[in-house]
Amino acid sequence: MPRAFQIRPLRSGAATLYIVLGDQLDRQSPILGRLDSGADAVLMMEVARESEHVPSHVQRTVLFLAAMRHHALWLRDQGVRVEYVRIDDPANTHAFGSELARAVERLGAERVVCVEPGEHRVRGEIEAAAVEAGIDLQILDDTHFLTTPSEFSAWAKGRKQLTMEYFYREQRRRLGMLVDEDGQPAGGSWNYDSDNRESFKKTPRPRQAIEFEPDAITHEVIQAVAERLPGLPGSADGFAWPVNREQAVEALDDFIEHRLGRFGPYEDAMWTEQRTLYHSRLSAAVNLHLLSPMECALRATEAYEAGMAPLNSVEGFVRQHIGWREFIRGVYFHEGATYGDRNGLDDDGTLPDFYWDADTDMACMADCTRSVIEDGYAHHIPRLMVMGNFAMLAGVSPQAVRDWYLGMYTDGVDWVTTPNVVGMSMHADGGVVGTKPYAASGKYISRMSNYCEHCRYDIKKRTGDDACPFNTLYWDFLIRHRERFRKNNRMAMMLKNVDRLSDPQRVEITLSARSLRDRFGVTRAGT
């Protein structure tokens, strides 16, 4: 039976090999204006190592490979010669470096060109392979992004603090987005966060996000992944992600028409077994470059100008794409290849098993981790204020958390995962991304969700067998790090509350937190 995806190995050589990685599926890629369709070729590689160096959710792996195959066929239709290595190719060595070396030798390439990879490790593999092969390597700026690493470093130079809000305002002015002729913000404010913290009073009924039935190519990928990588976490059942440009645009249209209008007020809200609410679910498509951040932001501003969506919703969505996303990538490259190894709070605890199986009696953690395990998705508040918050309060190793986030989310790419986890969720980078840790007790979760209504723990209690674990761990976190944060003005009020505790209360909290870590399997060195 013929394959749905068929790209035969090239029969003639290539003067230049242009590498296209799985998160660079951009139809406006800078390589397209450079390659000679008669003499050059694009190299695309499905390698098992990218799903094994951290345990990759099966839907993440399927999404990357299915999107790559669709993009390869699109390239071929544009007249581009494509050398494509399948994950089930018997000759596949399953690493970028060795596959590049094999392609260079087979095709007699004299030069390699690639767009800046989104991971330092991958760039290192490609550079090492080029040196070993003795050929020239050129790395191009990724024009999918709105700011180059060098431009971000120029902005960051001399600043004591890299504050995203200031970067975002400059982006708005530079791009002319939601500003008037004088460069002042539409509506008179740069940021509408204060309007975007509403919680639901009753069960929300948002329109379900559009889903895409896997086509024949995606079904082939699902089968190949099951055979070649049978031990990946998660399941491909229910896979419904957009895998090509056309589907991604349809998903963007669906969000703009049906959910953008209420995105702002409820972007921080959570609700039991409702994973999308009014969020876009577009981050995976944008991170794979099926959509550009600029087109997403422009579509939202057009909706505002047409009276289809309020300013607070549109500004929040625009900020995600031209502000936070660009800022995080800038931090990743500006801070360098060792950034992900930072551990500013000296945490070394093991990641609890319930991150892998959702088997926990904490209602919030069970629902949020189940969402990731089943779907490879959770919006930014469960990521930060539930799963990330718990890991930081419990003292889990930031590298263990980083690896879980990178592999378990369909939108996981190192440039975005590492700063968001090491910097924001775990506050392990010494304050580069955030001036204070995003530490919160169970009261925050109670305020923004209905999880506590379905939980066996008492949100009002700080210690005891039925006390909310977030409360116990939050107070223990503040006690443990009292001296570390005593000069942080943004922590002053929280630390004053710690100072009001009596010695017996502190001992009780400390012992209760130690008991919780033992019960949840957070094993720390020296304990």
Side-chain angles (χ1 to χ4, degrees):
M1 184 176 179
R3 289 176 179 263
F5 174 74
Q6 296 188 63
I7 291 187
R8 299 184 183 282
L10 296 178
R11 295 183 178 179
S12 58
T16 301
L17 272 179
Y18 287 85
I19 299 172
V20 172
L21 299 170
D23 61 339
Q24 298 178 345
L25 311 180
D26 188 351
R27 294 187 180 180
Q28 303 298 320
S29 171
I31 71 169
L32 296 177
R34 293 169 175 261
L35 62 80
D36 181 332
S37 58
D40 303 329
V42 161
L43 172 64
M44 300 183 72
M45 303 165 281
E46 299 178 358
V47 298
R49 180 175 180 180
E50 296 310 297
S51 294
E52 294 175 329
H53 78 284
V54 298
S56 177
H57 194 295
V58 66
Q59 290 201 34
R60 174 178 182 258
T61 296
V62 168
L63 174 59
F64 270 72
L65 303 193
M68 287 172 65
R69 293 189 183 192
H70 283 86
H71 187 70
L73 292 177
W74 179 84
L75 287 172
R76 188 188 64 180
D77 291 345
Q78 310 309 304
V80 176
R81 300 167 68 230
V82 180
E83 177 77 353
Y84 198 96
V85 182
R86 294 186 183 88
I87 198 163
D88 51 1
D89 182 345
N92 192 338
T93 61
H94 292 292
F96 285 139
S98 52
E99 279 308 297
L100 174 58
R102 193 163 69 93
V104 166
E105 181 178 5
R106 193 178 86 77
L107 300 173
E110 301 171 356
R111 188 170 72 125
V112 173
V113 178
C114 73
V115 172
E116 180 70 64
E119 183 166 355
H120 298 299
R121 174 187 59 84
V122 173
R123 175 171 177 151
E125 286 190 29
I126 293 171
E127 288 176 331
V131 170
E132 181 69 21
I135 59 173
D136 179 57
L137 170 65
Q138 183 180 7
I139 296 180
L140 308 175
D141 282 333
D142 192 339
T143 55
H144 164 87
F145 294 94
L146 308 175
T147 312
T148 67
S150 59
E151 288 170 342
F152 183 87
S153 289
W155 173 83
K157 186 178 181 180
R159 295 178 182 266
K160 294 182 179 179
Q161 185 73 41
L162 303 184
T163 304
M164 197 285 292
E165 182 67 25
Y166 299 147
F167 173 80
Y168 166 58
R169 294 180 185 184
E170 291 189 25
Q171 289 281 88
R172 288 263 295 272
R173 290 192 177 104
R174 180 172 69 88
L175 299 171
M177 189 159 290
L178 294 178
V179 292
D180 61 23
E181 294 180 355
D182 297 323
Q184 296 305 305
S189 178
W190 290 105
N191 187 311
Y192 289 89
D193 262 356
S194 59
D195 297 333
N196 291 355
R197 292 171 181 155
E198 294 186 27
S199 55
F200 298 108
K201 306 304 179 186
K202 59 183 179 179
T203 302
R205 304 292 182 190
R207 176 167 172 149
Q208 182 177 340
I210 190 170
E211 297 182 343
F212 300 93
E213 184 71 23
D215 61 9
I217 292 174
T218 303
H219 276 298
E220 281 187 352
V221 169
I222 291 172
Q223 182 178 350
V225 169
E227 293 173 355
R228 179 60 183 80
L229 297 164
L232 296 184
S235 169
D237 294 345
F239 182 92
W241 296 98
V243 295
N244 58 37
R245 164 76 182 165
E246 289 74 22
Q247 289 180 343
V249 171
E250 192 175 349
L252 174 59
D253 292 343
D254 176 70
F255 168 69
I256 295 294
E257 181 177 356
H258 298 297
R259 298 190 303 287
L260 174 61
R262 304 192 79 187
F263 165 72
Y266 300 110
E267 69 173 299
D268 287 3
M270 300 172 283
W271 199 265
T272 304
E273 296 182 349
Q274 292 225 24
R275 295 170 184 176
T276 301
L277 295 171
Y278 296 100
H279 289 263
S280 73
R281 292 178 69 100
L282 295 174
S283 56
V286 178
N287 287 357
L288 267 61
H289 298 192
L290 300 177
L291 295 171
S292 78
M294 193 62 176
E295 75 177 311
C296 292
L298 285 173
R299 287 292 307 281
T301 58
E302 289 167 2
Y304 166 65
E305 291 165 357
M308 294 172 54
L311 181 57
N312 63 310
S313 287
V314 171
E315 185 277 320
F317 186 69
V318 167
R319 179 160 21 106
Q320 287 182 341
H321 286 82
I322 73 169
W324 185 253
R325 191 170 184 272
E326 296 286 315
F327 177 79
I328 284 294
R329 181 174 182 263
V331 167
Y332 179 80
F333 285 105
H334 181 70
E335 295 297 315
T338 62
Y339 175 78
D341 299 326
R342 295 184 189 177
N343 192 356
L345 299 182
D346 299 320
D347 287 328
D348 56 14
T350 53
L351 191 70
D353 288 344
F354 56 70
Y355 279 81
W356 301 104
D357 59 20
D359 184 11
T360 174
D361 55 6
M362 290 181 286
C364 58
M365 288 296 295
D367 190 69
C368 292
T369 53
R370 188 181 305 113
S371 173
V372 180
I373 293 163
E374 293 179 354
D375 200 26
Y377 174 80
H379 72 72
H380 66 280
I381 295 301
R383 295 192 198 203
L384 175 65
M385 300 307 299
V386 180
M387 293 174 283
N389 184 32
F390 179 90
M392 181 181 67
L393 297 180
V396 176
S397 158
Q399 285 67 48
V401 181
R402 174 202 62 194
D403 290 352
W404 186 84
Y405 274 65
L406 176 60
M408 289 298 288
Y409 288 99
T410 55
D411 59 10
V413 183
D414 197 48
W415 68 263
V416 66
T417 299
T418 291
N420 268 305
V421 173
V422 174
M424 192 176 189
S425 290
M426 301 299 292
H427 199 70
D429 67 355
V432 174
V433 169
T435 54
K436 77 175 190 68
Y438 280 85
S441 69
K443 290 182 180 179
Y444 175 87
I445 297 171
S446 178
R447 184 169 67 250
M448 299 309 301
S449 76
N450 71 331
Y451 288 137
C452 300
E453 298 172 17
H454 306 279
C455 191
R456 84 161 188 85
Y457 294 105
D458 188 339
I459 189 61
K460 297 179 181 179
K461 291 187 177 181
R462 188 164 56 195
T463 57
D465 291 341
D466 61 343
C468 172
F470 277 86
N471 291 346
T472 306
L473 294 171
Y474 170 75
W475 286 98
D476 176 69
F477 176 85
L478 294 180
I479 291 169
R480 285 189 290 119
H481 295 293
R482 174 68 182 85
E483 286 305 306
R484 189 187 301 272
F485 294 123
R486 65 185 178 85
K487 294 182 179 180
N488 188 322
N489 291 332
R490 296 189 66 197
M491 297 285 288
M493 183 174 295
M494 289 183 279
L495 296 180
K496 284 182 180 178
N497 290 330
V498 172
D499 293 341
R500 294 189 182 101
L501 295 173
S502 66
D503 288 342
Q505 286 175 320
R506 295 187 192 192
V507 170
E508 183 182 17
I509 291 168
T510 298
L511 293 177
S512 295
R514 186 178 301 169
S515 177
L516 279 176
R517 283 192 288 268
D518 289 343
R519 182 154 62 86
F520 291 140
V522 182
T523 303
R524 303 176 66 199
T527 61

